[in-house]
Structures are given as C-alpha cells and as structure tokens.
Amino acid sequence: MGTATVVAVLVAVVSLLLLQLLELSDTTAVAASSAGPPGASTPPSVGVAPTSDSGVGALVTRQLFDELYPNRNKSFYTYDSFIAAARAFPTFGTQGSHKTRVREIAAYSAHVQQETAGLFYVEEIDQSSNYCDNTSIQYPCAPGQKYFGRGPLQLSWNYNYGAASAKVGANILAQPYLVSQDPILAFKSSFYFWTSGSGTIPSIHEVLIGKWKPSKADQEAGRKPGFGVTIDIINGGLECGKVTPQAQNRVKYFKQFCKQLNVSTGPNLSCATMQPF
Ligand SMILES: *[C@@H]1O[C@H](CO)[C@@H](O)[C@H](O)[C@H]1NC(C)=O
Ligand SMILES: *[C@@H]1O[C@H](CO)[C@@H](O)[C@H](O)[C@H]1NC(C)=O
Ligand SMILES: *[C@@H]1O[C@H](CO)[C@@H](O)[C@H](O)[C@H]1NC(C)=O
Ligand SMILES: CC(=O)N[C@H]1CO[C@H](CO)[C@@H](O)[C@@H]1O
C-alpha cells in the first residue's frame, strides 16, 4: 500500500474509532465508579509454563516482534518498551492454551495494523479537534490539552485518558502528550484498553480467552464469542451490524496474522450480523 493510501485509510479509521470511543463514555463512568473494568485486575487463571520470560515475551520474542511489525516506527515502538509495558498488564497474551495465546497476539496485531498501519503512526494525523467531552465530570479536560488518538490502539477522548491514568501509572489526563513521548506509556495505553471492559461491554482479552459468556441481550444482538465481537468492542458503532470495509480489513489482517503465526482463527470472525454494544 502506498503511503498516501495508508494515510487516507488511517485518517478514516482513526476518526471512526474516535466516534466509537465517545459512545463508550456512558458506561465508562459506571465501570469506573464500581469495582473497575472487568479483566484489568483479574489474576491469571491459567499460568504459562515457566520460562526465562513468564510474560508475553515467552511468546513474542524480539525476532517475532520484528516479523509482526516490519514497518513500525523503530525509534519509538521498540521491543523493550512493548515488554516493559506488558509487565504492568500481565494477563495480556499469557492466559489459556498456547493456541489461545497465539490467537490473542494475532488479534492484537490485526487491530494495531488497522489503527496505526502496523505501529507506524504514534499520533493521529488530524489533530484539529481536542476530543474533549466536557460532560465528563469525573475526567475533566486539562486546559489547553488535546485528546486525539495516540499509541498502538489510538487512545482518544478525555474520559478514556482519565480512566486509563491509574492503570498506566501516569496522569495522562493532565498530560496526554506523555503517551506519544514515552513508548512504554503508549503500549500501556493499548494494553489498558485491551484488558479493560466497561459496564456490560467485555474486554477484548476476556473474549479471546473464552471467559466472556454472552448475556441474553448479547445473544439477541447476535454477539458471539470470536474475533468479530472484538471489532464490536473497538468500533462497533460504525463497523458492525452491517458490512463495512473497515471491519473487513480487520478480519483480513487477522487471517493473515493467524496464518503467519500458524494458528486457526476460530469461529465468528465477522461482526456484520452483530449489533453495536
Ligand atoms: C517516529 O518516532 C520518532 C520518535 O518519537 C518521531 O520523532 C518521528 O516523527 C516518528 N516518525 C513518524 C513517521 O511518525
Ligand atoms: C461544553 O462544550 C460546549 C461546546 O464547546 C459548550 O457549548 C458548553 O458550554 C460546554 N459546557 C461546559 C459545562 O463547559
Ligand atoms: C503449524 O501447526 C500445525 C498444527 O498445530 C503443526 O502440525 C505444524 O507443525 C505447525 N507448523 C509450523 C511451521 O509451526
Ligand atoms: C454465525 C456463526 O458463524 N456462528 C457460529 C459462532 O461460533 C459458534 C461456535 O463457537 C458456532 O456454533 C456458530 O455457528
């Protein structure tokens, strides 16, 4: 893909993601005021076999990282920052069978491919909006700060930066720019989103390890375990319940990464028949 195409696709994708993240605002407040997002603080229920690296590094070696993200911005998205950030989110890629863990890496890589062209972009290209939702009482915008997409999954909006702050160990609500200055924080922001549900919305991690059981409402909305519902979590409002090129891209990338990692994709890849959360 040419750079111009990548840029155009990315601009579209990022703006769609931002809209979806806005839709999560209502439930974000609920989750934050209760026990906290599901998944984020759940201890590992299935341990990995002890190796020199008991975290995701047991699976994603330095060499594999290079193979998964060959076009990444190498001066920012380093392997060491990926591993350091993952230590703060130890459930990422470490729970369930080997197949489950590999599939989670494939899913993460697919969404990252869609959001940042394979860890090429650090910040959203169009920074004209401040993405400040001033109805968020819990997480008011800091004066003069902008909350456009940053990091591997393009964290956006003040309420998401606010909810993420405690989990990433930095006040990124007050200083959102830190996310694009510190690669460890950038990766942490993506792992935060990946492992944190919100209200009745499960975390992507929970879905992929088979922990999420669709409620009656989920079943009626056509939401089933599989990669498809992870698209619904990230950007269902715009990409799901219909056929969209963005969702098709994500599925295409997921299939490619599963092939590269020699793992089956599992069922229910598409969210075309799933209603948005
Ligand atoms: C890559 O990252 C470096 C360090 O953060 C930054 O200065 C540079 O602008 C980035 N390149 C691109 C193309 O975003
Ligand atoms: C929120 O922002 C809107 C649009 O910028 C503005 O009209 C409104 O007065 C603001 N509300 C508060 C409580 O600051
Ligand atoms: C791919 O996975 C299959 C089934 O799990 C296994 O038999 C095969 O050896 C694997 N191939 C590679 C190259 O890892
Ligand atoms: C629509 C669809 O493909 N549904 C499948 C989702 O996955 C389950 C297995 O987990 C299948 O039984 C469904 O047919």
Side-chain angles (χ1 to χ4, degrees):
M1 212 172 3
T3 304
T5 314
V6 171
V7 170
V9 167
L10 191 77
V11 169
V13 163
V14 165
S15 33
L16 292 174
L17 176 69
L18 295 171
L19 288 169
Q20 170 67 6
L21 290 177
L22 174 60
E23 292 177 7
L24 296 178
S25 62
D26 294 340
T27 47
T28 299
V30 171
S33 61
S34 62
S41 57
T42 309
S45 55
V46 183
V48 292
T51 63
S52 56
D53 188 327
S54 60
V56 74
L59 200 60
V60 184
T61 61
R62 192 178 294 273
Q63 186 192 335
L64 181 59
F65 187 78
D66 281 338
E67 290 168 7
L68 290 171
Y69 316 115
N71 298 322
R72 76 180 196 279
N73 184 330
K74 294 185 175 63
S75 58
F76 186 78
Y77 291 116
T78 64
Y79 178 70
D80 292 333
S81 57
F82 173 81
I83 293 297
R87 271 189 209 110
F89 297 86
T91 61
F92 173 71
T94 63
Q95 294 185 302
S97 66
H98 180 74
K99 183 173 78 177
T100 296
R101 287 177 263 146
V102 173
R103 199 181 273 161
E104 183 171 6
I105 298 307
Y108 178 81
S109 301
H111 289 304
V112 160
Q113 185 69 34
Q114 177 80 352
E115 300 297 334
T116 63
L119 296 180
F120 182 76
Y121 293 101
V122 177
E123 294 187 340
E124 185 178 356
I125 295 166
D126 180 358
Q127 303 183 355
S128 55
S129 168
N130 61 10
Y131 297 100
C132 171
D133 174 6
N134 62 10
T135 66
S136 172
I137 294 160
Q138 194 175 5
Y139 302 119
C141 305
Q145 297 303 328
K146 291 188 170 190
Y147 301 91
F148 50 72
R150 294 180 176 90
L153 291 176
Q154 296 283 282
L155 188 75
S156 313
W157 291 102
N158 53 306
Y159 45 80
N160 284 317
Y161 279 78
S165 284
K167 303 285 186 184
V168 301
N171 191 349
I172 58 174
L173 178 63
Q175 299 172 296
Y177 50 84
L178 293 178
V179 175
S180 32
Q181 290 175 356
D182 176 352
I184 297 177
L185 262 185
F187 275 117
K188 279 183 177 177
S189 75
S190 72
F191 298 145
Y192 156 77
F193 187 82
W194 196 261
T195 59
S196 302
S198 179
T200 57
I201 305 175
S203 72
I204 294 175
H205 173 73
E206 278 179 289
V207 168
L208 294 171
I209 64 169
K211 191 175 162 191
W212 176 63
K213 304 289 176 235
S215 67
K216 194 158 182 288
D218 289 320
Q219 289 168 23
E220 283 166 3
R223 294 188 289 260
K224 301 170 166 63
F227 180 76
V229 85
T230 73
I231 304 174
D232 209 340
I233 293 168
I234 287 191
N235 204 14
L238 288 155
E239 298 186 23
C240 299
K242 58 194 171 192
V243 174
T244 64
Q246 294 85 3
Q248 285 178 318
N249 272 342
R250 293 181 197 269
V251 172
K252 182 182 76 181
Y253 296 142
F254 181 56
K255 286 179 176 168
Q256 287 169 353
F257 280 113
C258 284
K259 193 173 176 197
Q260 182 177 354
L261 292 168
N262 191 32
V263 70
S264 60
T265 61
N268 300 320
L269 298 185
S270 165
C271 67
T273 59
M274 301 182 188
Q275 295 312 304
F277 278 103

